[in-house]
Amino acid sequence: MAQARISAKASEGQPAGQLRGRFFRSTSMADCSSRLLQNLDQLELRVEALRDAASAMEQEKETLLEMIHNIQNSQDMRHISEGEREELCLTASRLMGRTLTVEVSVETIRNPQQQESLLHATRMIDEVVNKLLDDLEDSKSRLMSLYGACTSEVPSGPIDQKFQSVVIGCAIEDQKKIKRRLETLLRNIENSEKSIMLLEHPKSAVQQLCNNEQD
């Protein structure tokens, strides 16, 4: 009680200006903290927008490389003169080289469990890819089951439950990249099948492709 009374008297003896100054300093600190927090919130939005834009650039690069590669290996290349084919191949190679000069990298933050899940999922896909040349149909079927495990849509075929549990353990960004890789692989297989069909049955294959495009 004695200490409290002494403190009270000390406060009473202080000028009013000092008390107001202490109050204003406290208020100013709170305002400053609030402003800094708002600035950080705005910067966080810009950082996420930057990562999204970089990811979109990564996807665009992958798409461009795939499209250029498809043109280089297009069946249409077989139906033009050698001089035209050489000129187009040079142009495609130039575009491929210029595309490869663009370096975009978005690092994904992972915990140890997510890192292990990513490695596991990658190994499972690689195992199927390594068997593509041995059995195209079986590999395609397996890739479709892997893809079915990554999509939220109702799959048209069986789902690889083991792969699904592995993918769920991956970081969200890695899940998207795994799905995109499988989509690319399936598109490449489809293009390969069309090429084989054109080589073996050119007339009927062209008619079937035309019908599919009309549908």
Side-chain angles (χ1 to χ4, degrees):
M1 290 294 292
Q3 182 65 34
R5 284 195 295 273
I6 292 172
S7 298
K9 290 180 179 180
S11 299
E12 291 172 359
Q14 290 181 356
Q18 292 184 10
L19 291 176
R20 285 197 300 272
R22 181 180 299 175
F23 173 76
F24 289 146
R25 282 198 299 272
S26 177
T27 302
S28 177
M29 289 174 62
D31 291 341
C32 183
S33 177
S34 178
R35 285 196 302 272
L36 291 172
L37 182 59
Q38 289 178 359
N39 289 337
L40 288 174
D41 287 342
Q42 293 175 357
L43 287 172
E44 183 175 13
L45 294 175
R46 294 180 62 180
V47 167
E48 290 306 313
L50 173 64
R51 288 179 61 87
D52 290 342
S55 296
M57 290 182 65
E58 273 188 328
Q59 295 179 43
E60 177 65 7
K61 179 181 177 180
E62 294 173 3
T63 300
L64 288 172
L65 291 173
E66 183 182 353
M67 292 175 69
I68 295 171
H69 180 266
N70 289 339
I71 290 176
Q72 288 176 322
N73 296 276
S74 170
Q75 287 297 317
D76 290 338
M77 284 289 192
R78 301 174 183 270
H79 302 147
I80 59 178
S81 68
E82 184 176 350
E84 291 174 323
R85 181 164 57 250
E86 182 179 355
E87 183 178 352
L88 291 174
C89 285
L90 287 173
T91 301
S93 297
R94 178 176 58 82
L95 292 175
M96 180 77 75
R98 287 180 61 80
T99 305
L100 290 172
T101 61
V102 179
E103 293 290 340
V104 184
S105 178
V106 181
E107 296 295 331
T108 301
I109 300 174
R110 310 179 185 91
N111 59 38
Q113 291 76 18
Q114 290 173 332
Q115 180 67 31
E116 180 59 31
S117 294
L118 175 61
L119 292 175
H120 192 180
T122 301
R123 284 195 300 268
M124 294 179 72
I125 297 174
D126 289 343
E127 288 176 0
V128 180
V129 172
N130 292 334
K131 297 178 181 179
L132 272 173
L133 295 178
D134 297 330
D135 192 336
L136 182 61
E137 282 301 320
D138 181 66
S139 297
K140 178 182 178 181
S141 177
R142 291 189 60 190
L143 285 174
M144 291 181 66
S145 69
L146 297 182
Y147 178 74
C150 299
T151 180
S152 58
E153 301 175 358
V154 178
S156 57
I159 296 177
D160 191 315
Q161 300 290 343
K162 180 180 179 182
F163 184 74
Q164 186 176 55
S165 64
V166 172
V167 172
I168 290 175
C170 295
I172 298 298
E173 291 178 356
D174 288 330
Q175 293 180 20
K176 294 178 181 178
K177 290 181 179 180
I178 289 171
K179 181 181 178 182
R180 288 206 307 271
R181 183 188 177 191
L182 290 169
E183 288 173 342
T184 301
L185 287 169
L186 288 170
R187 278 198 305 272
N188 289 339
I189 291 176
E190 183 179 356
N191 291 333
S192 298
E193 290 177 334
K194 289 180 180 178
S195 298
I196 294 172
M197 184 169 56
L198 283 169
L199 288 173
E200 293 182 346
H201 309 286
K203 292 184 178 180
S204 60
V206 169
Q207 183 62 43
Q208 182 176 344
L209 291 176
C210 291
N211 292 337
N212 291 338
E213 290 180 357
Q214 291 176 358
D215 294 340

